Amino acid sequence: MKQQYNPYDNVLKVVDHAASMLGYKEKEYAILKYPERELQVSMPVVMDDGSLKVFEGFRVQHSTARGPAKGGVRFHPGVNHDEVKALAAWMTFKCAVVNIPYGGGKGGIICDPSGMSERELHALTSKYTAAIAPLIGPEQDIPAPDVGSNAHVMAWMMDTYSMLKGHSVLGVVTGKPIGLGGILGRNEATGRGVMFTINNLLKKENRPIEGTSVVVQGMGNVGSITAKLLHRQGMKIIAVSDVSGGVYDPNGLDIPGILAYLSGGKNLLKDFDAPGINHISNAELLELDTTVLVPAALENQINGENAERIKTKYVVEAANGPTTLEADDILQARGIKLVPDILANAGGVVVSYFEWVQNIQELCWSEERVNSELKNIMDTAFEAVWEIAEQRDTTLRTGAYLISVKRVVEARQGRGVF
Ligand code: NAD
């Protein structure tokens, strides 16, 4: 029988590999294989039809060695314990590779937000926030949006937490609406960071930005902003998709037109039509002939089943964990270069960090300043990962983990603990 994919196993193997290359003994990094703290919660919600439904959720703090835990809350039917653990661990290493003073955490609720009313979602979010309140706070653990959640949900989380504390606590979540302590540029930050990453990669590889073909899987927050910004730079976006399927035009898609169509909220790409458009499945989209492939949806999209058929020259992981380790090896053997999630999609947490700094220090930055500080951090991190990967003759994923595992282990050792 085929073994079920477990993203947390992926994390453990990558950490083991990096730690052994760094020459660490097992006892020096063993703790990184276990989440520091985990909470499972159940939330009863009265649905609009009068029935009562009990939802399950999680909050996991993987590490707080370098600072408070930081990470999003996912609202999705596929959420499970191992996925949340993996996402929390990826946050630890992501914050370390871009060198911001956070540990890693993540949360999730097993639910399908697309089938819930605003009132039901509000009730669920408030109950979840109250349930995890003992764990979160500006100095302990700071949630943010992830798949299926957004600025609106963050406002509800902040409100519930503030009611429990008796005063407004802006710094308890990031990714909030601008009028509620949010930061200019946060909504675009992850996609903007992916754009900086692709720019840095193409520069290293002596390839032009203008006219280079890109395929984007997932047109949610991250994928749609990535497609918008790359299109604006003159890149040729030949295919994009959402959960319903993809659209493809080898001459390049009208991205502003697609974004306007999707901005309605409920529209799906399977129903989108325009001259020159071909409808394809998500599986077909991943196998298109392109220069850059940007998986920006969920985990386990490029795996042992399809890695041999992937035709792109570069994979830039905008989603968390879209490529399995088995696929990593196949891509590497086939000469396909991959920029790992913990580097490529770090723009969101970097600007979340700026938002939190603003909230706790009562500052207010301009969008230009946010974007230019983000660029500095993304460029510096890319350069460091590229350099170590070249020096050690290894992949960019291993390079990113060499830097981040070392930083987390040193933070623990600096405190005198393993
Ligand atoms: P989102 O909910 O805004 O969008 C998800 C997109 O993926 C939607 O277009 C959806 O239709 C599509 N999708 C869902 N299931 C799919 C499937 N089975 N096949 C193909 N497409 C599918 O989520 P998001 O915030 O854009 O997050 C996307 C990824 O980026 C996730 O892995 C998330 O963890 C990661 N990420 C997000 C942020 C952020 O700031 N939002 C930051 C870093 C990483």
Side-chain angles (χ1 to χ4, degrees):
M1 202 179 102
K2 201 173 169 329
Q3 219 192 341
Q4 235 201 330
Y5 168 72
N6 181 337
Y8 198 65
D9 286 345
N10 247 23
V11 179
L12 298 184
K13 285 186 187 133
V14 178
V15 170
D16 269 335
H17 181 53
S20 86
M21 280 180 78
L22 288 162
Y24 287 132
K25 295 189 190 78
E26 171 79 17
K27 66 170 187 175
E28 289 177 283
Y29 74 97
I31 184 66
L32 300 187
K33 300 201 219 173
Y34 301 86
E36 267 176 34
R37 198 177 273 146
E38 303 182 58
L39 187 61
Q40 182 164 355
V41 292
S42 308
M43 289 80 57
V45 174
V46 179
M47 306 302 279
D48 290 348
D49 64 3
S51 66
L52 186 106
K53 195 164 171 188
V54 182
F55 293 88
E56 287 179 282
F58 309 88
R59 185 73 195 172
V60 173
Q61 295 174 354
H62 172 259
S63 168
T64 56
R66 289 173 40 87
K70 183 83 191 83
V73 182
R74 182 169 287 196
F75 285 44
H76 193 274
V79 163
N80 62 70
H81 183 208
D82 279 324
E83 181 187 67
V84 181
K85 276 165 65 181
L87 289 162
W90 283 323
M91 288 305 298
T92 299
F93 300 113
K94 188 180 303 184
C95 294
V97 82
V98 289
N99 212 4
I100 54 176
Y102 281 144
K106 203 82 179 191
I109 304 177
I110 306 169
C111 67
D112 179 5
S114 67
M116 293 173 70
S117 71
E118 175 112 346
R119 191 205 61 80
E120 290 168 342
L121 274 175
H122 187 174
L124 176 60
T125 304
S126 297
K127 291 250 167 104
Y128 173 73
T129 309
I132 64 164
L135 248 57
I136 62 173
E139 288 166 345
Q140 291 132 276
D141 182 354
I142 307 127
D146 190 70
V147 174
S149 60
N150 53 29
H152 216 54
V153 170
M154 292 306 113
W156 292 333
M157 288 191 76
M158 190 211 98
D159 182 58
T160 305
Y161 187 81
S162 298
M163 281 196 282
L164 291 170
K165 291 286 157 184
H167 57 94
S168 275
V169 187
L170 296 181
V172 66
V173 289
T174 59
K176 298 180 292 294
I178 302 301
L180 255 185
I183 190 169
L184 295 166
R186 172 62 184 90
N187 190 44
E188 297 207 333
T190 309
R192 190 173 293 278
V194 176
M195 174 189 80
F196 292 141
T197 303
I198 292 173
N199 292 173
N200 284 327
L201 172 70
L202 293 176
K203 195 165 160 203
K204 289 282 184 200
E205 296 281 289
N206 290 317
R207 287 181 182 272
I209 290 175
E210 185 111 14
T212 293
S213 58
V214 186
V215 166
V216 180
Q217 185 202 32
M219 279 294 268
N221 170 282
V222 178
S224 65
I225 304 287
T226 302
K228 178 176 92 172
L229 297 179
L230 294 177
H231 180 264
R232 209 180 270 168
Q233 286 192 321
M235 294 192 81
K236 189 166 69 167
I237 318 296
I238 59 170
V240 298
S241 69
D242 62 16
V243 66
S244 73
V247 290
Y248 168 55
D249 181 347
N251 298 313
L253 295 164
D254 167 21
I255 294 298
I258 291 175
L259 292 174
Y261 169 78
L262 291 177
S263 69
K266 299 274 176 204
N267 289 342
L268 290 171
L269 283 172
K270 74 176 171 46
D271 303 319
F272 180 75
D273 205 12
I277 289 275
N278 300 284
H279 284 270
I280 53 173
S281 67
N282 263 294
E284 289 167 328
L285 171 131
L286 292 172
E287 295 172 20
L288 287 172
D289 201 345
T290 181
T291 304
V292 183
L293 171 61
V294 183
L298 294 171
E299 301 96 70
N300 191 19
Q301 299 300 301
I302 306 174
N303 49 41
E305 304 274 300
N306 62 2
E308 286 290 357
R309 298 191 301 274
I310 302 290
K311 292 183 202 68
T312 188
K313 296 190 171 52
Y314 306 101
V315 175
V316 177
E317 293 187 321
N320 286 308
T323 316
T324 66
L325 285 190
E326 193 184 354
D328 251 7
D329 291 343
I330 298 171
L331 296 183
Q332 193 195 355
R334 296 184 53 225
I336 298 172
K337 210 172 218 110
L338 179 147
V339 185
D341 45 10
I342 62 167
L343 173 63
N345 71 28
V349 74
V350 169
V351 176
S352 272
Y353 163 60
F354 298 158
E355 179 177 333
W356 174 77
V357 168
Q358 277 198 14
N359 293 155
I360 60 178
Q361 299 194 5
E362 288 154 22
L363 300 169
C364 198
W365 290 6
S366 69
E367 191 163 355
E368 291 68 36
R369 173 148 183 216
V370 169
N371 291 344
S372 93
E373 300 275 352
L374 169 65
K375 182 170 185 323
N376 280 342
I377 290 183
M378 294 301 295
D379 289 354
T380 305
F382 186 92
E383 194 57 42
V385 170
W386 186 274
E387 203 176 297
I388 199 165
E390 295 240 297
Q391 275 169 11
R392 305 290 298 253
D393 192 20
T394 187
T395 63
L396 294 173
R397 184 172 330 268
T398 301
Y401 277 86
L402 287 172
I403 292 174
S404 56
V405 168
K406 185 163 188 278
R407 283 186 177 149
V408 182
V409 169
E410 283 178 354
R412 293 193 62 84
Q413 290 179 342
R415 295 159 172 231
V417 288
F418 279 132

